[in-house]
Amino acid sequence: MIAVQTVLTRLLTHPVFILAMIVALFFGAAWLTPGTVAILGFLMLNIMLAQSMNLLTGIAGQISLGHAGFYGMGAYASGILMKTAGLPFIVTVPAAGLIGALTGWLLSIPAGRVREFYLAMMTLAFGLIFREIVREWDDLTGGAVGLSGVPSTTLRTLKVLGFSLDALDYFRLVLVVTAIVMWLVHNFIQSHYGRAFYAIHASEVAAGCLGIPRGGTKRMAYTLAAGMAGLAGGLYAHMIGYLGPESFDLARSIEVLVTTVVGGLGSMAGQILSAIVFTFLPEKLQVFAQYQFIVYGLILAFSLILLPRGLAGLLLLPPRFIRPASLRQATADGVAIRPVEPGTGAGLSVDHVTMRFGGLTAVDDVSLELRPGRITALIGPNGSGKSTLVNVISGIYRPAAGTVRFFGEAITGLRDDAIASAGLLRTFQDPRLVPRFTVRENLLLGAHRRYRTGLVSAALSLPAAAREEATFLSTVDAVTKMAGIADVADRPLESLPYGYRRLVEVGRALLAEPRAILLDEPAAGLSEAEMALLARLIRAMKDAGLMVLLIEHHMDFVAELVDDVVVLDSGRVIYHGDIQGMRRSPAVIEAYLGTPETAHA
Ligand code: ADP
Ligand code: MG
């Protein structure tokens, strides 16, 4: 099976094959019947819609139940702008895309504060309202009767840049536009933007702690996806010359979603396969027209049970999220941890921080300080508030009282991504990585905050974008070597044992070039050999001048590394000093270490 998948993937995603297909369709269409050319035109639009849904749902993990609404916005916008306002094609079709994008952006404004469910409901409501407005606003849209007489190839009334286009010409135009859009999306997905979409999909909290803003990233996903759907709608309007509200109802939105799921969420090639199936299938299923919801429901149910990763999961290898060209450009002279400038002020200081959950005071008036080039251990029994303190410092929780300062500036109450962007990174007690990403892709995610490549540069895959990516890939190589995970760099994380995940998570934080790093039980679940690798990493961080906070239970591991120790019990600091003193402290012995004998064991 793997062999079949490998061959198919190599073939279907090979640039030469793709180009050959486009050329074959472009010229070959002249020999096809008008009916077939029309269906191929719809196929292009369905591909664009499926890719749009895939970008939003498959990549970014957001759901749209109103895709037909974005599509319809584009279609009516271009139709009305041309028919009524007399604007030319090269204005109205891009305008359709922009209007779709604007709608997607408006709907996703609350994205930073609400859960996916809420946005999914917003898109559902939008889709339903859009259809009602189209039906009611007779003057503009033609209402339930529809809008006819839109300049189109069917009516032989469409002019583009002064040329009158027939159905064949128009198909070719749609083919080229679709191919260009696919190319841009493909580049986008294999850039740090696309990987950020996937990071939000896997864990918003973890993404935020790498400096990836959840609100902005989701808004970008909705905006781009809705823009693509709007563009497809604009092209649709001039294909048939008639627009009716029934083409943009809930059933159409569901159809797009089903196409995407069946194709395989996350796979661009899968979307094309699925769009082919769903463009040609309805012709054969005409008899079931009145049962379309049932048919789609059954297809969806069967595909989820039999093909959890869709057609792509069955036929193709998993997609990758780094451009091969950038990989080839990476050099062997990357530096895993660059020495940091000491900076001014006191490093990281936590002053009288208190955090409550309802009646429980998880962190009670805690003060501590981290300094460049020093490792501070934070220890204490389970439930003593260690992780909660890290969550407060990294901006996940807002404390009830107290201040956290980073190089003298108060960061209390800032968003997690803003804190990460300032160079304060953390890892999680339960590793939070992207399971489908390889080790290398996960590590590269850490560099997100350091990218300067803009959206346009990424989508066009300009040389500067590839160069920047190659620089970070060189650092990734150095980090995988130092962390002892170089031999699994191209393995998907979900296929690796637990110990690797911890090392990958620590490595990922290093890619962000932190000035301070908070490690929440990084050694839990590691073998002796892996612990030695981790210790080497932590020492290298210290040598490079980072501030390190290490939460750890293995006393031998801690003793070898740390400069300072802070012990928590029930949210309070019960000891602050060096490790020898901690071992003699009666309070620590009673709360945490047990009898003095076991403490020394
Ligand atoms: P540690 O990391 O030291 O084991 P935690 O910081 O995870 O401890 O937990 C400290 C206390 O706060 C525990 O009693 C825990 O149950 C509670 N706690 C932690 N997170 C939450 C939360 N999100 N909601 C309610 N209680 C919490
Ligand atoms: Mg904890």
Side-chain angles (χ1 to χ4, degrees):
M1 203 58 215
I2 296 286
V4 177
Q5 290 173 341
T6 311
V7 171
L8 270 178
T9 307
R10 290 245 171 91
L11 176 70
L12 294 183
T13 60
H14 200 287
V16 174
F17 174 80
I18 294 170
L19 215 59
M21 286 304 290
I22 295 169
V23 171
L25 281 172
F26 191 95
F27 292 105
W31 281 278
L32 300 174
T33 63
T36 312
V37 172
I39 292 184
L40 285 176
F42 287 122
L43 170 61
M44 294 303 131
L45 301 183
N46 286 340
I47 289 176
M48 223 183 306
L49 283 174
Q51 300 292 6
S52 149
M53 184 67 96
N54 182 48
L55 189 65
L56 185 66
T57 306
I59 307 285
Q62 310 300 310
I63 294 170
S64 162
L65 296 170
H67 241 57
F70 301 126
Y71 185 56
M73 282 290 267
Y76 277 96
S78 190
I80 293 168
L81 284 175
M82 194 184 288
K83 185 188 168 194
T84 314
L87 293 174
F89 184 85
I90 53 155
V91 172
T92 64
V93 170
L98 289 178
I99 287 169
L102 184 68
T103 313
W105 179 75
L106 285 173
L107 282 177
S108 62
I109 284 179
R113 280 169 281 123
V114 300
R115 302 187 61 89
E116 293 85 23
F117 172 76
Y118 174 89
L119 291 180
M121 289 303 111
M122 288 282 282
T123 58
L124 176 64
F126 160 71
L128 298 175
I129 291 169
F130 171 77
R131 203 183 97 118
E132 285 318 304
I133 290 177
V134 167
R135 288 172 67 93
E136 296 305 321
W137 199 348
D138 285 346
D139 303 343
L140 192 69
T141 64
V145 186
L147 184 72
S148 48
V150 174
S152 73
T153 55
T154 333
L155 307 171
R156 294 232 160 229
T157 46
L158 184 68
K159 279 208 162 80
V160 178
L161 296 172
F163 296 100
S164 176
L165 297 196
D166 63 13
L168 180 61
D169 301 326
Y170 194 68
F171 164 71
R172 287 171 169 166
L173 181 103
V174 173
L175 172 71
V176 171
V177 172
T178 307
I180 293 173
V181 172
M182 288 315 87
W183 181 70
L184 296 174
V185 172
H186 180 251
N187 291 339
F188 178 89
I189 289 176
Q190 291 191 333
S191 75
H192 71 289
Y193 290 106
R195 289 189 294 270
F197 278 21
Y198 230 116
I200 292 283
H201 187 168
S203 165
E204 285 184 27
V205 172
C209 290
L210 292 172
I212 300 170
R214 62 193 86 187
T217 306
K218 286 192 212 169
R219 278 191 289 274
M220 189 194 261
Y222 273 100
T223 307
L224 291 177
M228 279 171 75
L231 178 66
L235 292 169
Y236 170 77
H238 309 289
M239 209 177 251
I240 45 170
Y242 162 81
L243 299 173
E246 66 287 344
S247 311
F248 309 105
D249 57 7
L250 182 62
R252 187 80 172 102
S253 293
I254 303 284
E255 187 187 315
V256 180
L257 192 57
V258 173
T259 309
T260 303
V261 173
V262 170
L265 291 173
S267 164
M268 284 192 77
Q271 299 310 318
I272 296 180
L273 298 178
S274 181
I276 293 172
V277 172
F278 280 93
T279 306
F280 290 95
L281 193 67
E283 301 283 305
K284 312 276 176 274
L285 290 181
Q286 276 309 329
V287 267
F288 297 116
Q290 49 186 317
Y291 304 114
Q292 56 176 332
F293 272 115
I294 299 180
V295 172
Y296 283 132
L298 288 175
I299 293 176
L300 193 59
F302 274 104
S303 114
L304 286 174
I305 294 165
L306 299 175
L307 302 172
R309 286 191 176 179
L311 293 172
L314 178 71
L315 299 171
L316 304 170
L317 297 175
R320 294 280 51 105
F321 295 84
I322 300 174
R323 284 181 68 77
S326 309
L327 275 175
R328 282 192 296 275
Q329 275 187 44
T331 54
D333 58 2
V335 179
I337 311 178
R338 235 173 252 290
V340 289
E341 310 262 320
T344 54
L348 182 88
S349 59
V350 173
D351 291 323
H352 302 287
V353 162
T354 296
M355 176 72 208
R356 292 192 193 93
F357 297 109
L360 175 85
T361 306
V363 173
D364 193 357
D365 195 30
V366 168
S367 299
L368 59 85
E369 220 159 84
L370 303 185
R371 292 186 175 279
R374 285 183 83 82
I375 302 172
T376 305
L378 181 63
I379 57 186
N382 281 327
S384 58
K386 304 181 296 295
S387 297
T388 303
L389 182 62
V390 167
N391 285 335
V392 168
I393 298 174
S394 57
I396 292 175
Y397 298 147
R398 186 185 279 264
T403 324
V404 181
R405 287 197 184 78
F406 192 43
F407 290 110
E409 290 198 24
I411 55 168
T412 340
L414 289 186
R415 278 200 331 238
D416 49 5
D417 59 284
I419 291 175
S421 297
L424 175 51
L425 273 285
R426 56 130 346 142
T427 64
F428 291 87
Q429 191 169 343
D430 50 323
R432 296 190 188 178
L433 299 136
V434 183
R436 274 206 198 183
F437 274 14
T438 61
V439 166
R440 199 189 300 278
E441 288 161 354
N442 267 294
L443 283 168
L444 203 49
L445 214 44
H448 185 87
R449 77 177 190 96
R450 297 164 61 198
Y451 276 85
R452 295 293 164 264
T453 299
L455 191 60
V456 174
S457 179
L460 293 174
S461 190
L462 295 182
R467 262 200 309 277
E468 180 172 53
E469 184 113 314
T471 315
F472 293 135
L473 281 167
S474 309
T475 314
V476 168
D477 276 345
V479 170
T480 55
K481 278 195 200 102
M482 185 182 266
I485 49 178
D487 51 336
V488 292
D490 290 310
R491 292 262 301 274
L493 198 85
E494 57 197 351
S495 72
L496 294 175
Y498 188 72
Y500 283 109
R501 301 186 193 187
R502 288 225 170 267
L503 291 169
V504 171
E505 207 190 20
V506 175
R508 184 176 70 173
L510 287 179
L511 256 293
E513 220 166 55
R515 295 197 285 176
I517 187 164
L518 317 174
L519 304 167
D520 195 349
E521 304 203 17
L526 295 195
S527 67
E528 289 285 326
E530 288 163 345
M531 276 182 32
L533 290 167
L534 177 67
R536 188 171 78 179
L537 275 178
I538 295 175
R539 250 186 231 108
M541 295 177 200
K542 172 185 160 87
D543 293 343
L546 270 63
M547 303 167 224
V548 183
L549 183 76
L550 174 65
I551 298 181
E552 196 38 70
H553 289 294
H554 300 77
M555 276 309 132
D556 297 336
F557 185 79
V558 171
E560 268 183 47
L561 289 166
V562 302
D563 302 297
D564 310 299
V565 180
V566 175
V567 184
L568 283 188
D569 184 38
S570 306
R572 289 179 163 275
V573 176
I574 57 165
Y575 175 82
H576 197 161
D578 62 14
I579 189 133
Q580 288 80 17
M582 179 203 80
R583 284 181 155 153
R584 288 191 301 269
S585 155
V588 178
I589 290 169
E590 193 193 328
Y592 183 55
L593 296 174
T595 62
E597 284 79 25
T598 53
H600 285 282

